[in-house]
């Protein structure tokens, strides 16, 4: 695997390549990231990964400064997989050589709900850096995980509206044996919090099972799930049942007709904010 730190060196490595598969990451790689690399290898050649902790997508009181940066360990993990041809690991001055005054602003319908409501600049930061990385790598396909469900939809919408020739592939959420979705931020959890954390996925399953049991008032189901989290010491931002196709609230008729749904949640456990989701149909 070749490790490059400049856009010029990246383009030198990829000159003439027409089937590039790309996996953008912020590093601190774990098993879920490595599974993204394997999926990329099935759909393109060569595979390019990137590691860049993107300041634009962090709010002023978020964890940009303490986000784990483990480049040497990440390189070793990627070399062990043998799926990645080039790792692009730029520093901030390489990717943002001047103030990034041109920024991508996702629309209200998708970019300012759920995560966008609680992290107002998050999807602007994601969209801007992904567009810039796509410009550098020029992939044919790119792989994103479903754990960041709304992010996946924002990136797809951006590619569609800008007519980018990039197919966005979705990888299923990778979980530990107890159900907790793998995340770099899981390392922030104390031992007691780690033992409690799988409850979040269990709650999503409860919401799914409630809606499958018969007609229910969505607002009541969502409020009950929030209260369950609060009773166990969590600080939830949202628990929301939405249509998979556009993340808008479904009608009762749509639910009963088998509309593909997803229940999404974000909640703090101690000082760690966790997100998760579960796709399902109610019939």
């Amino acid at each position: 695997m070749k490790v490059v730190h400049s856009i010029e060196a990246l383009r030198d490595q990829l000159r003439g390549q027409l089937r590039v598969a790309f996996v953008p990451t912020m590093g601190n790689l774990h098993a879920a990231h490595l599974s993204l690399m394997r999926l990329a290898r099935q759909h393109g050649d060569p595979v390019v990964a990137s590691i860049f902790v993107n300041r634009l997508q962090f709010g002023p009181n978020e964890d940009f400064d303490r986000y784990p940066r483990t480049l040497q360990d990440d390189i070793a993990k990627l070399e062990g997989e043998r799926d990645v041809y080039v790792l692009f690991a730029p520093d901030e001055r390489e990717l943002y050589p001047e103030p990034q005054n041109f920024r991508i602003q996702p629309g209200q319908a998708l970019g300012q709900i759920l995560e966008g409501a609680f992290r107002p600049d998050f999807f602007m930061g994601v969209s801007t850096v992904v567009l810039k990385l796509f410009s550098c790598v020029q992939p044919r396909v790119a792989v994103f995980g479903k754990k960041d469900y709304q992010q996946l939809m924002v990136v797809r919408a951006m590619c569609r509206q800008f007519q980018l020739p990039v197919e966005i592939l979705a990888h299923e959420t990778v979980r530990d044996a107890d159900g907790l979705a793998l995340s770099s931020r899981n390392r922030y959890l104390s031992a007691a919090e780690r033992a409690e954390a799988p409850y979040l996925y269990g709650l999503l399953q409860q919401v799914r099972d409630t809606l499958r049991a018969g007609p229910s008032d969505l607002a009541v189901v969502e409020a009950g799930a929030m209260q369950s989290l609060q009773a166990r010491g969590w600080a939830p931002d949202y628990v929301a049942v939405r249509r998979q196709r556009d993340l808008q609230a479904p009608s009762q008729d749509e639910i009963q007709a088998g509309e593909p749904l997803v229940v999404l949640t974000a909640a703090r456990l101690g000082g760690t904010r966790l997100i998760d989701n579960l796709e399902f149909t109610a019939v």
Side-chain angles (χ1 to χ4, degrees):
M1 184 181 73
K2 297 175 174 59
V3 181
V4 299
H5 302 284
S6 72
I7 296 170
E8 181 181 5
L10 173 69
R11 288 174 173 165
D12 282 345
Q13 291 295 330
L14 297 180
R15 189 165 286 114
Q17 299 287 353
L18 301 177
R19 299 181 58 247
V20 174
F22 180 42
V23 184
T25 83
M26 292 205 301
N28 192 230
L29 303 182
H30 48 67
H33 292 112
L34 300 181
S35 66
L36 301 182
M37 311 297 167
R38 295 181 209 121
L39 179 60
R41 187 66 182 83
Q42 295 173 24
H43 293 270
D45 183 24
V47 175
V48 177
S50 68
I51 292 176
F52 180 69
V53 182
N54 177 40
R55 185 186 299 272
L56 286 186
Q57 68 193 67
F58 288 79
N61 298 313
E62 295 184 347
D63 58 340
F64 175 78
D65 289 329
R66 69 187 182 106
Y67 194 86
R69 292 161 171 84
T70 55
L71 181 60
Q72 293 308 311
D73 287 345
D74 293 342
I75 289 172
K77 289 176 182 177
L78 291 174
E79 288 179 334
E81 286 296 310
R82 300 182 182 275
D83 282 317
V84 179
Y85 173 63
V86 176
L87 171 63
F88 179 43
D91 63 20
E92 199 164 29
R93 285 177 295 182
E94 179 67 20
L95 213 53
Y96 296 120
E98 57 186 66
Q100 187 68 35
N101 297 320
F102 291 86
R103 302 183 181 196
I104 304 299
Q105 294 287 356
Q108 292 184 357
L110 185 57
Q112 296 181 22
I113 61 173
L114 303 172
E115 283 295 283
F118 286 92
R119 304 181 67 190
D121 290 329
F122 176 66
F123 290 123
M124 175 280 295
V126 168
S127 300
T128 300
V129 78
V130 168
L131 183 60
K132 179 166 283 199
L133 288 168
F134 283 178
S135 176
C136 297
V137 177
Q138 298 187 8
R140 185 179 69 85
V141 299
V143 181
F144 291 79
K146 282 190 179 181
K147 185 182 80 70
D148 297 285
Y149 200 90
Q150 190 175 0
Q151 172 180 280
L152 169 67
M153 295 191 66
V154 165
V155 171
R156 279 181 165 161
M158 181 187 72
C159 290
R160 184 174 63 250
Q161 293 196 9
F162 282 97
Q163 299 181 339
L164 302 180
V166 184
E167 179 185 0
I168 304 301
L169 302 178
H171 192 289
E172 297 298 327
T173 300
V174 179
R175 301 181 182 278
D176 272 334
D178 58 8
L180 179 64
L182 297 189
S183 169
S184 295
R185 290 186 169 97
N186 289 352
R187 65 165 50 195
Y188 297 158
L189 298 167
S190 69
E193 290 165 349
R194 177 61 186 80
E196 168 64 18
Y199 180 76
L200 196 64
Y201 182 53
L203 182 74
L204 298 180
Q205 295 173 307
Q206 292 175 30
V207 169
R208 175 200 62 193
D209 294 345
T210 297
L211 293 177
R212 283 180 172 173
S216 301
D217 186 317
L218 268 191
V220 172
V221 173
E222 292 168 348
M226 295 273 284
Q227 291 167 4
S228 295
L229 286 169
Q230 291 165 342
R232 297 176 68 98
W234 294 70
D237 286 339
Y238 58 83
V239 178
V241 177
R242 299 298 173 94
R243 298 185 304 222
Q244 289 182 26
R245 55 187 165 95
D246 58 7
L247 293 189
Q248 299 303 302
S251 68
Q252 191 60 240
D253 287 345
E254 288 174 325
I255 294 174
Q256 296 307 306
E259 174 77 26
L261 304 173
V262 58
V263 54
L264 309 102
T265 186
R268 291 190 180 277
L269 182 59
T272 306
R273 188 174 186 271
L274 301 177
I275 64 171
D276 205 348
N277 65 81
L278 177 64
E279 294 178 316
F280 69 101
T281 59
V283 295

